[in-house]
Amino acid sequence: MTRFDAIFQSTDRCDVKFTPVEAVVAIAGIATDVDTILSGVQEAKPIVASFFEGLLKGISGTLTDFDPEVCGQKVSAAHSASTCGGVYNAAHQALSDELKPYTYGISKMAMMVDYDLPEGGEEFLKELRTSLGLSDEEAEAAWQGLKQQALQA
């Protein structure tokens, strides 16, 4: 049993049907929640879909149907109505294989908004990587690519 089994080994369900891009934001929201808990911060850092809008457009080409406000509301509603495990299961189901590396990278970026991973953050990211079926190399390449893209924005 691992520290994050309640997320990655959960059988909980969430009734929200995510698009693949919303699924990326939902999992990044879980990463933000974990970061907040591990950091011992009293107030959660809000996951703002608009923060990731540029990165999401970069990974998905043209997102003519992507509305960060609607996405943020849908993801927030899912997080309010279900457990992290339920939201993760619904989001994971909606992800395409193509978006899994980016999901890892954006989740790591969400956890590092304050430039540091909290103690236990690497463990969470390792379990996320494993759950997404990514190799260390794929995860690192996605992370480095998103860091570079963010620096250019």
Side-chain angles (χ1 to χ4, degrees):
M1 192 162 142
T2 66
R3 186 183 215 178
F4 301 104
D5 281 353
I7 298 169
F8 300 114
Q9 301 301 319
S10 175
T11 58
D12 292 348
R13 296 283 166 232
C14 174
D15 293 333
V16 175
K17 301 293 183 219
F18 295 114
T19 67
V21 174
E22 290 167 345
V24 174
V25 175
I27 293 174
I30 292 169
T32 302
D33 290 345
V34 168
D35 179 61
T36 299
I37 292 165
L38 293 176
S39 298
V41 176
Q42 296 298 318
E43 188 172 314
K45 292 182 262 182
I47 181 76
V48 180
S50 59
F51 173 79
F52 295 107
E53 183 176 10
L55 295 174
L56 293 170
K57 283 189 178 187
I59 65 173
S60 298
T62 58
L63 293 175
T64 56
D65 61 341
F66 180 70
D67 182 335
E69 186 175 328
V70 171
C71 178
Q73 290 170 353
K74 188 173 182 180
V75 169
S76 292
H79 279 271
S80 295
S82 187
T83 64
C84 281
V87 172
Y88 181 79
N89 288 335
H92 188 266
Q93 184 175 9
L95 277 178
S96 64
D97 287 341
E98 174 187 60
L99 288 180
K100 288 180 180 179
Y102 300 105
T103 301
Y104 174 87
I106 287 177
S107 294
K108 185 170 181 176
M109 189 169 283
M111 291 183 80
M112 295 188 68
V113 167
D114 54 5
Y115 304 104
D116 291 316
L117 275 178
E119 187 175 325
E122 285 293 341
E123 180 185 353
F124 171 81
L125 290 170
K126 180 180 178 187
E127 290 190 41
L128 174 62
R129 179 189 57 73
T130 300
S131 178
L132 293 172
L134 301 174
S135 68
D136 289 338
E137 294 79 19
E138 290 170 310
E140 185 59 25
W143 167 239
Q144 292 301 327
L146 282 170
K147 263 189 1 184
Q148 191 65 26
Q149 189 178 340
L151 291 172
Q152 293 173 353

